[in-house]
Every structure is written in C-alpha cells, then in structure tokens.
Amino acid sequence: MNNVFNTPFEISLRALLMLETTGEQWETADMLAAADFITVYGRDFGISDVNLHGENSFKFSEFTLRRELMKKAVKLLVKNGLIDVSPTDNGFSYSINQKGIDYCARFTNDYANSYRRLAKQARTYIAGKSEREVLALINRHAVSSLQRSEIDV
C-alpha cells in the first residue's frame, strides 16, 4: 500500500476541513497552507497545549513542501468538484461548496474533530492579518525555533 502521508490527497482532506471552518470566505492556497500549518503545530504558535502531529524538530522545514502540496491539493479538490475557484488580481482563491460540505460531514473521527477545533483557533489567531503577515509570522517562529535548538546544543 502506498503511503498517504504528505501527499496532495492527505493535504486535500485537511484543506477541506479548513475551508469548512471558514464558511463562505475565499482563501488562497498559500493562506490555506499557512492556516493548516498553524493548526497542526498549534502548540508552537500558542493556540494549543499539544501539536496535532506531535513533536518534530524539523517541522518548520516542512512548510515549503506543504505550500507546494497545498497547490496540488486544491487543484485536486477543484477537479473533483468539492471546492470552487475564483480568479483574483492576486491569483486564485478557493471556497468550499455544498458538495465539499457534504463530503466533510463524513469526517467524524477524533482527528477530524480535533482538527476542526484547532483550525477555528488558528483562524482566530490569524484573523485580520494579511497573507504576507501570516507567512512572516511562520518565518519568525521558524527562526526562533532554530535559535532555540542551537542554544540547546
């Protein structure tokens, strides 16, 4: 069996859950990737007591790959008719549609419920910030994490 972790498919499921929490709001792939990253590593951003994906010394190096995977994931979701796409002056934005909402309703396990709860907290955490500000925030946390690990050596 092929590994589904860190694939566009896995990211697409989380993207759907993230878009479910935003309602009718439109999001870019980069903003979805950033919100997803903050959601799964909520402890590092002070929005949770634990990281949904556990402790990982290299988590911030994942973010570049996460952005690329998110772009593939939203294409997959558009192709499957689960989200809508809208061209804007700054690229494309995405929003969940009714078919996507119905699909998300099937996700009733503990992970999905935890993700939804943390996604709402992440959305509150980044509310009012531009995409550029959110990406800079992740970068600052990455630098801080790297500096802390150098001190621990």
Side-chain angles (χ1 to χ4, degrees), residues 9 14 17 20 25-26 30 32-33 48 52 56 65 70 72 74 84 94 99 105 112 116 119 121 126 129 140 151:
F9 176 73
R14 292 203 316 265
L17 290 171
E20 179 188 44
Q25 184 176 337
W26 292 83
D30 278 345
L32 284 170
S48 176
L52 192 56
N56 175 354
L65 175 61
M70 185 62 75
K72 292 176 181 177
V74 295
D84 296 325
Y94 306 91
K99 184 177 176 183
R116 284 180 176 105
Q121 290 173 244
I126 62 175
K129 293 179 176 65
R140 282 194 305 275
I151 291 171

Coordinates of all heavy atoms in Angstrom, one line a residue, residues 9 14 17 20 25-26 30 32-33 48 52 56 65 70 72 74 84 94 99 105 112 116 119 121 126 129 140 151:
F9 N -3.3 14.2 -1.6 CA -4.6 13.6 -1.1 C -4.8 14.0 0.4 O -5.8 14.4 0.8 CB -4.7 12.1 -1.3 CG -5.9 11.5 -0.7 CD1 -7.1 11.7 -1.3 CD2 -5.8 10.8 0.4 CE1 -8.3 11.1 -0.7 CE2 -6.9 10.2 1.0 CZ -8.2 10.4 0.4
R14 N -7.4 17.9 4.7 CA -7.3 18.9 5.7 C -7.7 20.3 5.1 O -8.3 21.1 5.8 CB -5.8 19.0 6.2 CG -5.5 17.7 7.1 CD -4.4 18.0 8.1 NE -3.2 18.7 7.5 CZ -2.1 18.1 7.0 NH1 -2.0 16.8 7.0 NH2 -1.1 18.8 6.6
L17 N -11.4 20.5 5.4 CA -11.7 20.8 6.8 C -11.5 22.3 7.1 O -12.3 22.9 7.8 CB -11.0 19.9 7.8 CG -11.5 18.4 7.8 CD1 -10.5 17.6 8.6 CD2 -12.9 18.3 8.2
E20 N -14.0 24.3 5.5 CA -15.3 24.2 6.2 C -15.4 25.1 7.3 O -16.4 25.7 7.6 CB -15.4 22.7 6.7 CG -16.7 22.4 7.4 CD -16.6 21.0 8.1 OE1 -15.6 20.7 8.7 OE2 -17.7 20.4 8.0
Q25 N -15.9 32.2 3.1 CA -14.7 33.0 2.9 C -13.8 32.4 1.8 O -13.7 31.2 1.8 CB -14.0 33.2 4.2 CG -12.7 34.1 4.1 CD -12.1 34.3 5.5 OE1 -12.7 34.1 6.5 NE2 -10.8 34.6 5.5
W26 N -13.3 33.2 1.0 CA -12.3 32.7 -0.1 C -10.9 32.7 0.4 O -10.5 33.7 1.1 CB -12.5 33.5 -1.4 CG -13.8 33.3 -2.0 CD1 -15.0 33.9 -1.7 CD2 -14.1 32.4 -3.1 NE1 -16.0 33.5 -2.5 CE2 -15.5 32.5 -3.3 CE3 -13.4 31.5 -3.8 CZ2 -16.1 31.8 -4.3 CZ3 -14.0 30.8 -4.8 CH2 -15.4 30.9 -5.0
D30 N -1.8 29.5 -0.5 CA -0.8 29.8 0.5 C -1.4 30.1 1.8 O -0.8 29.7 2.9 CB 0.1 31.0 0.0 CG 1.2 30.6 -0.9 OD1 1.5 29.4 -1.1 OD2 1.8 31.5 -1.6
L32 N -4.2 28.9 2.9 CA -4.7 27.6 3.4 C -3.5 26.8 4.0 O -3.6 26.1 5.0 CB -5.3 26.8 2.3 CG -6.7 27.2 1.9 CD1 -7.2 26.5 0.6 CD2 -7.7 26.9 3.1
A33 N -2.4 26.8 3.3 CA -1.2 26.1 3.8 C -0.7 26.6 5.1 O -0.4 25.9 6.0 CB 0.0 26.1 2.7
S48 N -2.6 26.0 21.3 CA -3.0 24.6 21.8 C -1.9 24.2 22.8 O -0.8 24.7 22.8 CB -3.0 23.7 20.6 OG -3.3 22.4 21.1
L52 N -0.9 18.7 17.0 CA -1.7 17.7 16.5 C -0.9 16.6 15.8 O -1.2 15.4 15.9 CB -2.7 18.2 15.5 CG -3.9 17.4 15.0 CD1 -4.7 16.8 16.2 CD2 -4.8 18.2 14.1
N56 N 8.3 17.6 16.5 CA 9.1 17.3 15.3 C 10.1 18.5 15.2 O 9.7 19.6 15.0 CB 8.2 17.2 14.1 CG 9.0 17.1 12.8 OD1 10.2 17.2 12.7 ND2 8.3 16.9 11.7
L65 N 7.4 22.5 1.5 CA 6.8 21.4 0.9 C 5.3 21.5 1.0 O 4.5 21.2 0.1 CB 7.3 20.1 1.4 CG 6.6 18.8 0.9 CD1 6.8 18.6 -0.6 CD2 7.1 17.6 1.6
M70 N -0.1 21.9 -1.1 CA -1.4 22.5 -1.0 C -1.9 23.0 -2.4 O -3.1 22.9 -2.7 CB -1.4 23.7 0.0 CG -2.8 24.4 0.2 SD -4.0 23.2 0.9 CE -3.5 23.2 2.6
K72 N -1.2 21.6 -5.2 CA -1.7 20.3 -5.9 C -3.0 19.9 -5.3 O -3.9 19.4 -6.0 CB -0.7 19.2 -5.8 CG 0.6 19.5 -6.6 CD 1.7 18.5 -6.4 CE 2.9 18.8 -7.1 NZ 4.0 17.9 -6.9
V74 N -5.5 21.7 -3.8 CA -6.6 22.5 -4.3 C -7.0 22.2 -5.7 O -8.2 22.2 -6.0 CB -6.5 24.0 -4.0 CG1 -6.4 24.3 -2.5 CG2 -5.3 24.6 -4.7
D84 N -14.8 25.5 -5.0 CA -14.9 26.4 -6.1 C -13.6 27.3 -6.2 O -13.0 27.6 -5.2 CB -16.1 27.3 -6.0 CG -17.4 26.5 -6.0 OD1 -17.5 25.5 -6.8 OD2 -18.4 26.9 -5.3
Y94 N -10.0 30.1 -3.2 CA -10.9 28.9 -3.1 C -11.9 29.0 -2.0 O -11.6 29.6 -1.0 CB -10.0 27.7 -2.9 CG -8.9 27.6 -4.0 CD1 -7.6 28.2 -3.8 CD2 -9.1 27.0 -5.2 CE1 -6.7 28.1 -4.8 CE2 -8.2 26.9 -6.2 CZ -6.9 27.5 -6.0 OH -6.0 27.5 -6.9
K99 N -21.1 20.4 -2.1 CA -20.6 19.1 -2.3 C -19.5 18.8 -1.3 O -19.3 17.8 -0.7 CB -20.2 18.8 -3.7 CG -19.7 17.4 -4.0 CD -19.4 17.2 -5.5 CE -18.9 15.8 -5.7 NZ -18.4 15.6 -7.1
A105 N -18.9 16.2 6.1 CA -19.8 15.7 7.1 C -19.5 14.3 7.4 O -19.8 13.8 8.5 CB -21.3 15.9 6.7
A112 N -10.4 14.4 13.0 CA -11.1 15.4 12.2 C -11.8 16.4 13.2 O -11.7 17.6 13.0 CB -12.2 14.8 11.3
R116 N -10.8 20.3 13.4 CA -11.8 21.4 13.2 C -11.6 22.4 14.4 O -11.6 23.6 14.2 CB -13.2 20.8 13.2 CG -13.6 20.2 12.0 CD -15.0 19.6 12.1 NE -15.5 19.1 10.8 CZ -15.6 17.8 10.6 NH1 -15.3 16.9 11.5 NH2 -16.0 17.4 9.4
A119 N -8.4 24.3 14.0 CA -8.5 25.2 12.8 C -9.2 26.4 13.2 O -8.8 27.5 12.7 CB -9.2 24.4 11.7
Q121 N -9.3 27.8 16.1 CA -8.4 28.6 16.9 C -7.3 29.2 16.0 O -6.9 30.4 16.3 CB -7.8 27.7 18.0 CG -8.8 27.3 19.0 CD -8.2 26.2 20.0 OE1 -8.7 25.1 20.0 NE2 -7.1 26.6 20.7
I126 N -5.0 34.1 13.3 CA -4.5 34.9 12.1 C -5.5 35.9 11.6 O -5.3 36.6 10.6 CB -4.1 33.9 11.0 CG1 -5.2 33.1 10.5 CG2 -2.9 33.1 11.4 CD1 -4.9 32.2 9.3
K129 N -4.9 39.4 9.7 CA -3.6 39.5 9.2 C -3.6 39.2 7.7 O -4.4 38.4 7.2 CB -2.7 38.5 9.9 CG -2.4 38.8 11.3 CD -1.5 37.7 12.0 CE -1.1 38.0 13.4 NZ -2.2 38.1 14.3
R140 N 9.1 33.9 11.3 CA 9.7 34.3 12.6 C 9.7 33.2 13.6 O 10.7 33.0 14.4 CB 8.9 35.5 13.2 CG 9.2 36.8 12.6 CD 8.7 38.0 13.4 NE 7.2 37.9 13.7 CZ 6.3 38.3 12.9 NH1 6.6 38.9 11.7 NH2 5.0 38.2 13.2
I151 N 20.8 26.8 20.9 CA 21.2 27.1 22.3 C 21.2 25.7 23.0 O 22.0 25.5 23.9 CB 20.2 28.0 22.9 CG1 20.4 29.4 22.3 CG2 20.4 28.1 24.4 CD1 19.3 30.4 22.7

